[in-house]
Amino acid sequence: MIKNPERLSQAGESKALASGSSIDVLGQFELHPVLGGLGEALRLSQSPVYMVIACALVLAFLFYGMKPASVVPGRLQAAAEICYEFVRNLAVDTIGPEGTSFFPFIFALFFFILAGNYLGLIPHSFTFTSHIAVTFALAIMVFVISIVVSLKVQGFKFFAHFMPAGAPLALAPLLVPIEILSFLSRPVSLSIRLFANMVAGHVMFDIFASFVIMLAGLGFVGDVLAVGPIAINIALIGLELLVGVLQAYVFAILTCIYLREAVAH
Amino acid sequence: MRLSVSLNRHSLLAGISGLPLLVAAAPGARAAGMPQLDFKNPLVTGQVIWGGIIFLFFYLALRNWALPRVETVLKNRNERITGDLDQAHSAKVEADKAVRELKETRKTAAAESQAHLDAVLEQEKVSAAQRLAEINAKLEAEIASAEAGVAAERKRAMESLRPIASDVAETLVQRLTGKAPDRASVEAAVARVAVQPA
């Protein structure tokens, strides 16, 4: 059932490369409708399917991990508990006592991104966090939630954040626009950071994999030289495993920091 | 969309059977620019809506179902640990109390027995002294009566000695002289001699 499109594309690619064409590294980010015409009508691409898979994996991990619910945990239960406590400590330590009410949100955000990043490392799969639309939507969600919480907790004192306390009033015309700009750039930096990291990693994978295909056209010498890019790609997998968890962590902790500002009195 | 009709049919079939389609649907795709920035593509913006729905369900599932399960287990464990610790603490307190009571009891028992021993010894001493005194008194009385008896005997003997001495003297005088002396003068002579103790 599973066709191997990469092989097909590789075959096409090596022909294309032989004819002097460039390496296609962006094709992997293309969206395709699933379920045929129905999917097209519902705007359903493989990206939301991978989101569902990611969420299902996280929920299944928690479900099967906590199924024994024993006092002395087994490996999977210990792993699930470590994940729970890690995000809980992150939320409570950063946001403060109010962090407990935001904890499920931070947990959802962290594991949605982490599962998306890691799912994308499986060959032939798709990385939904490599789409700026997804990361920007997440960032805007965080931004809107932090503004709503700010207005709810602090009321109009929220706007005092745009004038740093203790700064001379004469500097206000300069400081206030800068503060507003830095505030508004939060969702942009938040979303582009994750998006760019994911795209860069996957582009590098594709480039080095293409090198292997290109070298394969050179005969025996090429086969020997191709070990280099393969080794680099293996190392890159390790790097991407780090980047995947790091970016999820950065997204989660920045969300926590914004929410701490929002609940601070 | 550059999907051929045959591929669409294939996708439809694959979509029913699940995941493989996702792979099959990407045959050597070649993008002009970044596909992520192709906002005219409804699939790109569609991700936002689908993502929103999926994230909402994910959040609700975590908040209402998955995370409380973990929390319950962790809470139970903490309660169990603190409960066990409390139990151990109270057991230790009880044991300490028991040891203290035991020591106390031993001390009072020792003191009691010592007191009892002292009392018995004292009593014994007193009674022994009393008995000794009684025996002494009895012995002294006996000695006194014996002495009195001896004295009386001695007096009686002394008294009975005089007539014997008189008789002996009378007989001696009679043997020596051949004639019986005057009884009164013999007795007087004996009395005279007998005044000096021997």
Side-chain angles (χ1 to χ4, degrees):
Chain A
M1 193 73 188
I2 303 174
K3 278 196 209 163
N4 198 334
E6 203 126 307
R7 182 151 297 170
L8 288 175
S9 73
Q10 279 162 7
E13 207 129 291
S14 46
K15 253 180 247 155
L17 290 167
S19 60
S21 181
S22 65
I23 304 168
D24 174 35
V25 293
L26 296 172
Q28 58 176 327
F29 302 118
E30 278 205 340
L31 296 168
H32 305 282
V34 293
L35 302 171
L38 180 66
E40 209 162 342
L42 290 172
R43 298 182 171 196
L44 187 64
S45 57
Q46 79 270 40
S47 173
V49 175
Y50 273 96
M51 291 178 193
V52 171
I53 293 168
C55 296
L57 283 176
V58 173
L59 290 173
F61 166 60
L62 288 176
F63 176 75
Y64 285 107
M66 298 317 287
K67 207 171 182 183
S70 57
V71 174
V72 180
R75 286 185 199 185
L76 199 62
Q77 194 189 333
E81 285 174 10
I82 286 167
C83 290
Y84 177 93
E85 293 199 317
F86 171 71
V87 181
R88 192 180 183 88
N89 289 343
L90 175 75
V92 174
D93 291 350
T94 315
I95 304 174
E98 295 93 340
T100 44
S101 55
F102 293 112
F103 161 62
F105 176 64
I106 304 295
F107 192 94
L109 207 55
F110 179 76
F111 277 97
F112 187 71
I113 295 167
L114 181 67
N117 292 350
Y118 275 6
L119 217 50
L121 290 178
I122 299 167
H124 303 309
S125 70
F126 179 81
T127 324
F128 59 80
T129 45
S130 70
H131 266 255
I132 185 75
V134 175
T135 62
F136 193 68
L138 288 172
I140 284 289
M141 174 178 68
V142 168
F143 188 65
V144 169
I145 285 172
S146 73
I147 289 177
V148 169
V149 172
S150 282
L151 288 173
K152 213 168 153 185
V153 173
Q154 308 173 358
F156 284 101
K157 265 178 69 186
F158 160 66
F159 295 103
H161 281 301
F162 296 120
M163 181 60 202
L169 208 63
L171 283 175
L174 190 66
L175 283 175
V176 171
I178 289 174
E179 289 291 323
I180 289 173
L181 204 64
S182 83
F183 184 74
L184 291 177
S185 67
R186 277 174 179 183
V188 178
S189 68
L190 200 57
S191 58
I192 289 178
R193 184 182 301 113
L194 176 58
F195 156 73
N197 267 287
M198 288 304 115
V199 169
H202 284 269
V203 164
M204 281 204 288
F205 279 138
D206 208 320
I207 288 172
F208 286 107
S210 301
F211 282 169
V212 178
I213 308 294
M214 288 165 84
L215 286 165
L218 296 179
F220 179 71
V221 182
D223 285 352
V224 173
L225 289 176
V227 173
I230 290 174
I232 289 173
N233 253 1
I234 291 168
L236 273 178
I237 284 280
L239 179 72
E240 283 303 302
L241 285 170
L242 178 69
V243 168
V245 72
L246 198 67
Q247 288 307 318
Y249 180 71
V250 166
F251 205 103
I253 201 160
L254 283 172
T255 304
C256 288
I257 289 169
Y258 300 156
L259 287 173
R260 182 186 57 190
E261 267 180 31
V263 297
H265 293 288
Chain B
M1 294 285 87
R2 275 169 285 154
L3 296 163
S4 68
V5 178
S6 70
L7 198 87
N8 259 341
R9 201 163 49 227
H10 177 78
S11 300
L12 202 64
L13 282 170
I16 294 156
S17 69
L19 193 60
L21 134 91
L22 303 170
V23 175
R30 213 167 242 289
M34 278 185 107
Q36 295 100 314
L37 302 178
D38 180 17
F39 295 114
K40 286 198 289 291
N41 184 352
L43 291 178
V44 172
T45 44
Q47 286 183 107
V48 176
I49 299 146
W50 282 111
I53 295 165
I54 292 161
F55 188 82
L56 180 71
F57 276 103
F58 183 49
Y59 169 72
L60 290 176
L62 282 174
R63 197 189 66 174
N64 298 324
W65 172 73
L67 294 178
R69 272 163 54 100
V70 185
E71 197 183 349
T72 315
V73 170
L74 291 180
K75 214 168 80 184
N76 283 348
R77 178 177 309 147
N78 275 343
E79 271 167 14
R80 175 113 178 238
I81 288 170
T82 49
D84 283 2
L85 274 179
D86 284 352
Q87 218 175 327
H89 263 292
S90 60
K92 195 186 175 299
V93 166
E94 237 161 70
D96 284 351
K97 207 175 112 190
V99 165
R100 224 171 26 244
E101 263 168 23
L102 180 69
K103 273 186 186 164
E104 202 71 29
T105 313
R106 262 173 64 177
K107 224 162 88 182
T108 50
E112 224 167 75
S113 64
Q114 190 62 46
H116 194 239
L117 198 64
D118 285 353
V120 168
L121 273 177
E122 195 59 34
Q123 205 182 333
E124 275 310 301
K125 248 189 232 166
V126 167
S127 71
Q130 204 175 350
R131 261 205 315 276
L132 199 66
E134 265 168 29
I135 289 166
N136 273 351
K138 214 161 89 188
L139 283 176
E140 264 164 25
E142 264 169 30
I143 287 169
S145 74
E147 273 178 354
V150 167
E153 272 313 298
R154 187 189 166 112
K155 199 177 162 201
R156 207 155 49 90
M158 284 306 224
E159 272 167 8
S160 64
L161 207 60
R162 210 169 279 183
I164 292 169
S166 299
D167 284 352
V168 170
E170 197 177 355
T171 314
L172 273 173
V173 168
Q174 196 176 8
R175 287 271 175 96
L176 288 171
T177 59
K179 73 170 180 169
D182 182 22
R183 181 75 187 183
S185 62
V186 169
E187 272 177 10
V190 167
R192 203 164 62 239
V193 174
V195 172
Q196 292 126 5

